[in-house]
mmCIF file of all heavy atoms in Angstrom:
data_model
loop_
_atom_site.group_PDB
_atom_site.id
_atom_site.type_symbol
_atom_site.label_atom_id
_atom_site.label_comp_id
_atom_site.label_asym_id
_atom_site.label_seq_id
_atom_site.Cartn_x
_atom_site.Cartn_y
_atom_site.Cartn_z
ATOM 1 N N PHE A 1 98.159 128.565 121.506
ATOM 2 C CA PHE A 1 97.474 129.572 120.698
ATOM 3 C C PHE A 1 97.553 129.190 119.200
ATOM 4 O O PHE A 1 96.518 129.224 118.487
ATOM 5 C CB PHE A 1 98.087 130.933 120.897
ATOM 6 C CG PHE A 1 97.714 131.963 119.810
ATOM 7 C CD1 PHE A 1 96.424 132.429 119.715
ATOM 8 C CD2 PHE A 1 98.666 132.384 118.896
ATOM 9 C CE1 PHE A 1 96.064 133.307 118.699
ATOM 10 C CE2 PHE A 1 98.348 133.277 117.917
ATOM 11 C CZ PHE A 1 97.021 133.755 117.825
ATOM 12 N N LEU A 2 98.728 128.826 118.748
ATOM 13 C CA LEU A 2 98.880 128.494 117.334
ATOM 14 C C LEU A 2 98.071 127.260 116.958
ATOM 15 O O LEU A 2 97.399 127.238 115.927
ATOM 16 C CB LEU A 2 100.369 128.215 117.037
ATOM 17 C CG LEU A 2 101.296 129.459 117.070
ATOM 18 C CD1 LEU A 2 102.728 129.013 116.855
ATOM 19 C CD2 LEU A 2 100.889 130.462 116.024
ATOM 20 N N LEU A 3 98.093 126.255 117.789
ATOM 21 C CA LEU A 3 97.325 125.053 117.536
ATOM 22 C C LEU A 3 95.831 125.352 117.487
ATOM 23 O O LEU A 3 95.122 124.855 116.595
ATOM 24 C CB LEU A 3 97.612 123.962 118.577
ATOM 25 C CG LEU A 3 99.032 123.371 118.546
ATOM 26 C CD1 LEU A 3 99.208 122.370 119.682
ATOM 27 C CD2 LEU A 3 99.350 122.739 117.213
ATOM 28 N N ALA A 4 95.356 126.149 118.428
ATOM 29 C CA ALA A 4 93.931 126.514 118.452
ATOM 30 C C ALA A 4 93.558 127.321 117.210
ATOM 31 O O ALA A 4 92.518 127.136 116.598
ATOM 32 C CB ALA A 4 93.597 127.273 119.710
ATOM 33 N N LEU A 5 94.418 128.274 116.827
ATOM 34 C CA LEU A 5 94.168 129.111 115.662
ATOM 35 C C LEU A 5 94.100 128.294 114.401
ATOM 36 O O LEU A 5 93.159 128.406 113.625
ATOM 37 C CB LEU A 5 95.250 130.182 115.549
ATOM 38 C CG LEU A 5 95.239 131.025 114.274
ATOM 39 C CD1 LEU A 5 93.967 131.861 114.211
ATOM 40 C CD2 LEU A 5 96.475 131.922 114.186
ATOM 41 N N PHE A 6 95.105 127.461 114.150
ATOM 42 C CA PHE A 6 95.163 126.712 112.913
ATOM 43 C C PHE A 6 94.058 125.638 112.866
ATOM 44 O O PHE A 6 93.526 125.358 111.804
ATOM 45 C CB PHE A 6 96.522 126.054 112.736
ATOM 46 C CG PHE A 6 97.631 127.067 112.621
ATOM 47 C CD1 PHE A 6 98.862 126.851 113.224
ATOM 48 C CD2 PHE A 6 97.432 128.252 111.889
ATOM 49 C CE1 PHE A 6 99.879 127.777 113.102
ATOM 50 C CE2 PHE A 6 98.467 129.173 111.793
ATOM 51 C CZ PHE A 6 99.689 128.952 112.391
ATOM 52 N N LYS A 7 93.721 125.103 114.011
ATOM 53 C CA LYS A 7 92.645 124.115 114.043
ATOM 54 C C LYS A 7 91.327 124.774 113.688
ATOM 55 O O LYS A 7 90.506 124.228 112.933
ATOM 56 C CB LYS A 7 92.540 123.448 115.413
ATOM 57 C CG LYS A 7 91.661 122.187 115.454
ATOM 58 C CD LYS A 7 92.313 121.103 114.587
ATOM 59 C CE LYS A 7 91.519 119.820 114.658
ATOM 60 N NZ LYS A 7 92.126 118.759 113.809
ATOM 61 N N HIS A 8 91.082 125.997 114.199
ATOM 62 C CA HIS A 8 89.844 126.703 113.848
ATOM 63 C C HIS A 8 89.811 127.043 112.346
ATOM 64 O O HIS A 8 88.784 126.868 111.707
ATOM 65 C CB HIS A 8 89.747 127.955 114.694
ATOM 66 C CG HIS A 8 88.522 128.791 114.402
ATOM 67 N ND1 HIS A 8 87.283 128.441 114.883
ATOM 68 C CD2 HIS A 8 88.323 129.881 113.624
ATOM 69 C CE1 HIS A 8 86.381 129.316 114.444
ATOM 70 N NE2 HIS A 8 86.986 130.212 113.666
ATOM 71 N N LEU A 9 90.925 127.505 111.814
ATOM 72 C CA LEU A 9 90.984 127.823 110.429
ATOM 73 C C LEU A 9 90.743 126.597 109.562
ATOM 74 O O LEU A 9 90.048 126.629 108.547
ATOM 75 C CB LEU A 9 92.339 128.445 110.057
ATOM 76 C CG LEU A 9 92.653 129.814 110.661
ATOM 77 C CD1 LEU A 9 94.075 130.236 110.295
ATOM 78 C CD2 LEU A 9 91.664 130.879 110.224
ATOM 79 N N GLN A 10 91.309 125.496 109.987
ATOM 80 C CA GLN A 10 91.216 124.240 109.233
ATOM 81 C C GLN A 10 89.780 123.733 109.198
ATOM 82 O O GLN A 10 89.265 123.352 108.147
ATOM 83 C CB GLN A 10 92.124 123.199 109.869
ATOM 84 C CG GLN A 10 92.060 121.824 109.200
ATOM 85 C CD GLN A 10 92.826 120.778 109.965
ATOM 86 O OE1 GLN A 10 93.360 121.044 111.039
ATOM 87 N NE2 GLN A 10 92.892 119.571 109.440
ATOM 88 N N LEU A 11 89.090 123.759 110.352
ATOM 89 C CA LEU A 11 87.781 123.162 110.453
ATOM 90 C C LEU A 11 86.625 124.071 110.069
ATOM 91 O O LEU A 11 85.618 123.643 109.527
ATOM 92 C CB LEU A 11 87.544 122.655 111.866
ATOM 93 C CG LEU A 11 88.458 121.529 112.372
ATOM 94 C CD1 LEU A 11 88.124 121.160 113.780
ATOM 95 C CD2 LEU A 11 88.334 120.311 111.451
ATOM 96 N N HIS A 12 86.799 125.389 110.350
ATOM 97 C CA HIS A 12 85.625 126.281 110.250
ATOM 98 C C HIS A 12 85.777 127.441 109.244
ATOM 99 O O HIS A 12 84.792 128.132 109.009
ATOM 100 C CB HIS A 12 85.309 126.868 111.635
ATOM 101 C CG HIS A 12 85.101 125.826 112.697
ATOM 102 N ND1 HIS A 12 84.016 124.994 112.659
ATOM 103 C CD2 HIS A 12 85.828 125.510 113.771
ATOM 104 C CE1 HIS A 12 84.097 124.182 113.722
ATOM 105 N NE2 HIS A 12 85.199 124.481 114.398
ATOM 106 N N VAL A 13 86.959 127.619 108.722
ATOM 107 C CA VAL A 13 87.148 128.759 107.801
ATOM 108 C C VAL A 13 87.427 128.269 106.384
ATOM 109 O O VAL A 13 86.612 128.473 105.482
ATOM 110 C CB VAL A 13 88.253 129.687 108.283
ATOM 111 C CG1 VAL A 13 88.461 130.855 107.318
ATOM 112 C CG2 VAL A 13 87.922 130.208 109.692
ATOM 113 N N PHE A 14 88.539 127.621 106.185
ATOM 114 C CA PHE A 14 88.926 127.229 104.822
ATOM 115 C C PHE A 14 88.208 125.960 104.382
ATOM 116 O O PHE A 14 87.842 125.844 103.230
ATOM 117 C CB PHE A 14 90.451 127.024 104.743
ATOM 118 C CG PHE A 14 91.173 128.321 104.780
ATOM 119 C CD1 PHE A 14 91.597 128.867 106.018
ATOM 120 C CD2 PHE A 14 91.446 129.034 103.640
ATOM 121 C CE1 PHE A 14 92.267 130.061 106.064
ATOM 122 C CE2 PHE A 14 92.125 130.259 103.678
ATOM 123 C CZ PHE A 14 92.538 130.769 104.871
ATOM 124 N N GLU A 15 88.026 125.030 105.304
ATOM 125 C CA GLU A 15 87.288 123.798 104.986
ATOM 126 C C GLU A 15 87.758 123.195 103.672
ATOM 127 O O GLU A 15 86.983 122.814 102.786
ATOM 128 C CB GLU A 15 85.773 124.052 104.912
ATOM 129 C CG GLU A 15 85.198 124.541 106.239
ATOM 130 C CD GLU A 15 83.726 124.838 106.182
ATOM 131 O OE1 GLU A 15 83.235 125.218 105.118
ATOM 132 O OE2 GLU A 15 83.050 124.641 107.200
ATOM 133 N N LEU A 16 89.075 123.063 103.531
ATOM 134 C CA LEU A 16 89.639 122.476 102.309
ATOM 135 C C LEU A 16 89.325 120.992 102.241
ATOM 136 O O LEU A 16 89.422 120.276 103.250
ATOM 137 C CB LEU A 16 91.149 122.673 102.295
ATOM 138 C CG LEU A 16 91.639 124.130 102.181
ATOM 139 C CD1 LEU A 16 93.147 124.166 102.291
ATOM 140 C CD2 LEU A 16 91.142 124.788 100.912
ATOM 141 N N GLU A 17 88.982 120.562 101.064
ATOM 142 C CA GLU A 17 88.671 119.137 100.907
ATOM 143 C C GLU A 17 89.916 118.285 101.176
ATOM 144 O O GLU A 17 91.038 118.700 100.933
ATOM 145 C CB GLU A 17 88.117 118.842 99.507
ATOM 146 C CG GLU A 17 89.101 118.984 98.404
ATOM 147 C CD GLU A 17 89.272 120.418 97.952
ATOM 148 O OE1 GLU A 17 88.688 121.317 98.606
ATOM 149 O OE2 GLU A 17 90.025 120.654 97.005
ATOM 150 N N ASP A 18 89.682 117.094 101.679
ATOM 151 C CA ASP A 18 90.730 116.101 101.897
ATOM 152 C C ASP A 18 91.650 116.422 103.074
ATOM 153 O O ASP A 18 92.559 115.663 103.370
ATOM 154 C CB ASP A 18 91.637 115.911 100.659
ATOM 155 C CG ASP A 18 90.847 115.407 99.484
ATOM 156 O OD1 ASP A 18 89.888 114.618 99.683
ATOM 157 O OD2 ASP A 18 91.160 115.831 98.358
ATOM 158 N N THR A 19 91.437 117.527 103.810
ATOM 159 C CA THR A 19 92.342 117.850 104.920
ATOM 160 C C THR A 19 92.097 116.921 106.098
ATOM 161 O O THR A 19 92.953 116.805 106.985
ATOM 162 C CB THR A 19 92.150 119.275 105.416
ATOM 163 O OG1 THR A 19 90.805 119.519 105.689
ATOM 164 C CG2 THR A 19 92.637 120.266 104.350
ATOM 165 N N HIS A 20 90.945 116.211 106.122
ATOM 166 C CA HIS A 20 90.677 115.295 107.215
ATOM 167 C C HIS A 20 90.999 113.855 106.845
ATOM 168 O O HIS A 20 90.837 112.960 107.650
ATOM 169 C CB HIS A 20 89.195 115.408 107.619
ATOM 170 C CG HIS A 20 88.775 116.800 107.925
ATOM 171 N ND1 HIS A 20 89.235 117.487 108.974
ATOM 172 C CD2 HIS A 20 87.935 117.640 107.267
ATOM 173 C CE1 HIS A 20 88.724 118.709 109.003
ATOM 174 N NE2 HIS A 20 87.912 118.805 107.968
ATOM 175 N N ALA A 21 91.431 113.643 105.628
ATOM 176 C CA ALA A 21 91.771 112.294 105.227
ATOM 177 C C ALA A 21 93.090 111.873 105.892
ATOM 178 O O ALA A 21 93.870 112.700 106.359
ATOM 179 C CB ALA A 21 91.962 112.239 103.698
ATOM 180 N N SER A 22 93.290 110.581 105.977
ATOM 181 C CA SER A 22 94.516 110.097 106.614
ATOM 182 C C SER A 22 95.720 110.496 105.793
ATOM 183 O O SER A 22 95.820 110.238 104.617
ATOM 184 C CB SER A 22 94.492 108.565 106.718
ATOM 185 O OG SER A 22 95.691 108.067 107.235
ATOM 186 N N VAL A 23 96.662 111.196 106.451
ATOM 187 C CA VAL A 23 97.843 111.654 105.747
ATOM 188 C C VAL A 23 99.122 111.047 106.284
ATOM 189 O O VAL A 23 100.183 111.296 105.754
ATOM 190 C CB VAL A 23 97.942 113.224 105.841
ATOM 191 C CG1 VAL A 23 96.765 113.862 105.128
ATOM 192 C CG2 VAL A 23 98.029 113.669 107.263
ATOM 193 N N ASP A 24 99.019 110.234 107.333
ATOM 194 C CA ASP A 24 100.203 109.683 107.951
ATOM 195 C C ASP A 24 101.029 108.846 106.987
ATOM 196 O O ASP A 24 102.250 108.990 106.855
ATOM 197 C CB ASP A 24 99.810 108.826 109.171
ATOM 198 C CG ASP A 24 99.031 109.597 110.211
ATOM 199 O OD1 ASP A 24 99.671 110.288 111.015
ATOM 200 O OD2 ASP A 24 97.818 109.566 110.156
ATOM 201 N N LYS A 25 100.350 107.978 106.241
ATOM 202 C CA LYS A 25 101.029 107.063 105.332
ATOM 203 C C LYS A 25 101.644 107.794 104.179
ATOM 204 O O LYS A 25 102.726 107.429 103.696
ATOM 205 C CB LYS A 25 100.029 106.013 104.840
ATOM 206 C CG LYS A 25 100.637 105.014 103.852
ATOM 207 C CD LYS A 25 99.585 104.020 103.424
ATOM 208 C CE LYS A 25 100.142 103.024 102.422
ATOM 209 N NZ LYS A 25 99.137 102.041 101.952
ATOM 210 N N ASN A 26 101.012 108.853 103.718
ATOM 211 C CA ASN A 26 101.437 109.498 102.463
ATOM 212 C C ASN A 26 102.301 110.734 102.695
ATOM 213 O O ASN A 26 102.877 111.237 101.740
ATOM 214 C CB ASN A 26 100.230 109.887 101.637
ATOM 215 C CG ASN A 26 99.427 108.664 101.167
ATOM 216 O OD1 ASN A 26 99.991 107.640 100.848
ATOM 217 N ND2 ASN A 26 98.102 108.797 101.170
ATOM 218 N N SER A 27 102.357 111.263 103.920
ATOM 219 C CA SER A 27 103.055 112.501 104.134
ATOM 220 C C SER A 27 104.539 112.378 103.808
ATOM 221 O O SER A 27 105.127 113.341 103.289
ATOM 222 C CB SER A 27 102.893 112.954 105.609
ATOM 223 O OG SER A 27 103.424 111.990 106.486
ATOM 224 N N GLY A 28 105.137 111.231 104.058
ATOM 225 C CA GLY A 28 106.534 111.033 103.735
ATOM 226 C C GLY A 28 106.777 111.117 102.245
ATOM 227 O O GLY A 28 107.765 111.705 101.795
ATOM 228 N N HIS A 29 105.895 110.527 101.446
ATOM 229 C CA HIS A 29 106.024 110.609 99.986
ATOM 230 C C HIS A 29 105.920 112.041 99.500
ATOM 231 O O HIS A 29 106.652 112.481 98.618
ATOM 232 C CB HIS A 29 104.972 109.749 99.320
ATOM 233 C CG HIS A 29 105.144 108.278 99.493
ATOM 234 N ND1 HIS A 29 106.405 107.662 99.461
ATOM 235 C CD2 HIS A 29 104.257 107.271 99.711
ATOM 236 C CE1 HIS A 29 106.259 106.354 99.661
ATOM 237 N NE2 HIS A 29 104.980 106.105 99.824
ATOM 238 N N VAL A 30 104.957 112.785 100.063
ATOM 239 C CA VAL A 30 104.775 114.177 99.645
ATOM 240 C C VAL A 30 106.009 115.006 99.978
ATOM 241 O O VAL A 30 106.444 115.840 99.188
ATOM 242 C CB VAL A 30 103.502 114.775 100.265
ATOM 243 C CG1 VAL A 30 103.359 116.249 99.954
ATOM 244 C CG2 VAL A 30 102.260 114.032 99.803
ATOM 245 N N GLU A 31 106.546 114.766 101.158
ATOM 246 C CA GLU A 31 107.777 115.477 101.516
ATOM 247 C C GLU A 31 108.907 115.214 100.549
ATOM 248 O O GLU A 31 109.652 116.138 100.168
ATOM 249 C CB GLU A 31 108.209 115.091 102.945
ATOM 250 C CG GLU A 31 107.311 115.649 104.048
ATOM 251 C CD GLU A 31 107.737 115.189 105.413
ATOM 252 O OE1 GLU A 31 108.816 114.540 105.520
ATOM 253 O OE2 GLU A 31 107.066 115.513 106.403
ATOM 254 N N LYS A 32 109.036 113.977 100.116
ATOM 255 C CA LYS A 32 110.080 113.624 99.147
ATOM 256 C C LYS A 32 109.825 114.274 97.813
ATOM 257 O O LYS A 32 110.763 114.718 97.134
ATOM 258 C CB LYS A 32 110.177 112.088 99.009
ATOM 259 C CG LYS A 32 110.710 111.397 100.256
ATOM 260 C CD LYS A 32 110.767 109.890 100.061
ATOM 261 C CE LYS A 32 111.303 109.210 101.309
ATOM 262 N NZ LYS A 32 111.282 107.717 101.176
ATOM 263 N N ILE A 33 108.557 114.333 97.400
ATOM 264 C CA ILE A 33 108.222 115.000 96.138
ATOM 265 C C ILE A 33 108.574 116.481 96.197
ATOM 266 O O ILE A 33 109.198 117.051 95.300
ATOM 267 C CB ILE A 33 106.718 114.830 95.832
ATOM 268 C CG1 ILE A 33 106.385 113.342 95.552
ATOM 269 C CG2 ILE A 33 106.321 115.678 94.618
ATOM 270 C CD1 ILE A 33 104.896 113.075 95.461
ATOM 271 N N LEU A 34 108.200 117.119 97.316
ATOM 272 C CA LEU A 34 108.493 118.540 97.490
ATOM 273 C C LEU A 34 110.039 118.804 97.507
ATOM 274 O O LEU A 34 110.536 119.756 96.944
ATOM 275 C CB LEU A 34 107.878 119.060 98.780
ATOM 276 C CG LEU A 34 106.355 119.151 98.782
ATOM 277 C CD1 LEU A 34 105.845 119.468 100.179
ATOM 278 C CD2 LEU A 34 105.843 120.203 97.797
ATOM 279 N N ASP A 35 110.760 117.900 98.211
ATOM 280 C CA ASP A 35 112.225 118.043 98.250
ATOM 281 C C ASP A 35 112.822 117.893 96.839
ATOM 282 O O ASP A 35 113.749 118.637 96.484
ATOM 283 C CB ASP A 35 112.829 116.985 99.193
ATOM 284 C CG ASP A 35 112.520 117.291 100.657
ATOM 285 O OD1 ASP A 35 112.174 118.419 100.974
ATOM 286 O OD2 ASP A 35 112.645 116.363 101.489
ATOM 287 N N TRP A 36 112.311 116.955 96.086
ATOM 288 C CA TRP A 36 112.818 116.723 94.713
ATOM 289 C C TRP A 36 112.538 117.941 93.831
ATOM 290 O O TRP A 36 113.401 118.392 93.114
ATOM 291 C CB TRP A 36 112.192 115.474 94.132
ATOM 292 C CG TRP A 36 112.803 115.046 92.836
ATOM 293 C CD1 TRP A 36 113.862 114.184 92.647
ATOM 294 C CD2 TRP A 36 112.397 115.480 91.509
ATOM 295 N NE1 TRP A 36 114.130 114.046 91.318
ATOM 296 C CE2 TRP A 36 113.253 114.855 90.574
ATOM 297 C CE3 TRP A 36 111.406 116.323 91.039
ATOM 298 C CZ2 TRP A 36 113.150 115.014 89.228
ATOM 299 C CZ3 TRP A 36 111.299 116.526 89.668
ATOM 300 C CH2 TRP A 36 112.161 115.878 88.765
ATOM 301 N N ILE A 37 111.331 118.449 93.953
ATOM 302 C CA ILE A 37 110.983 119.656 93.159
ATOM 303 C C ILE A 37 111.836 120.842 93.546
ATOM 304 O O ILE A 37 112.304 121.623 92.686
ATOM 305 C CB ILE A 37 109.506 119.979 93.321
ATOM 306 C CG1 ILE A 37 108.622 118.881 92.690
ATOM 307 C CG2 ILE A 37 109.158 121.331 92.693
ATOM 308 C CD1 ILE A 37 107.141 119.061 92.908
ATOM 309 N N GLU A 38 112.077 120.973 94.859
ATOM 310 C CA GLU A 38 112.915 122.079 95.334
ATOM 311 C C GLU A 38 114.300 122.043 94.719
ATOM 312 O O GLU A 38 114.910 123.055 94.446
ATOM 313 C CB GLU A 38 112.989 122.052 96.861
ATOM 314 C CG GLU A 38 113.629 123.268 97.475
ATOM 315 C CD GLU A 38 112.836 124.545 97.213
ATOM 316 O OE1 GLU A 38 111.615 124.487 97.053
ATOM 317 O OE2 GLU A 38 113.453 125.619 97.199
#
């Protein structure tokens, strides 16, 4: 249910730019940035 809900919101409701771009390579860097800021 959660996966279906968030997928629908992602694709058909919010349609935020760049959400479909490849994030695998950069997600680790973003996590480190967020941890540092925290």
Side-chain angles (χ1 to χ4, degrees):
F1 164 69
L2 290 176
L3 293 177
L5 173 64
F6 297 141
K7 194 64 176 179
H8 179 78
L9 294 176
Q10 178 188 4
L11 294 180
H12 304 293
V13 179
F14 288 90
E15 298 179 329
L16 296 175
E17 68 279 5
D18 298 325
T19 54
H20 306 295
S22 176
V23 297
D24 301 277
K25 179 180 178 181
N26 297 322
S27 60
H29 291 321
V30 174
E31 288 179 4
K32 290 179 181 178
I33 294 171
L34 291 171
D35 289 341
W36 188 90
I37 292 174
E38 189 64 27

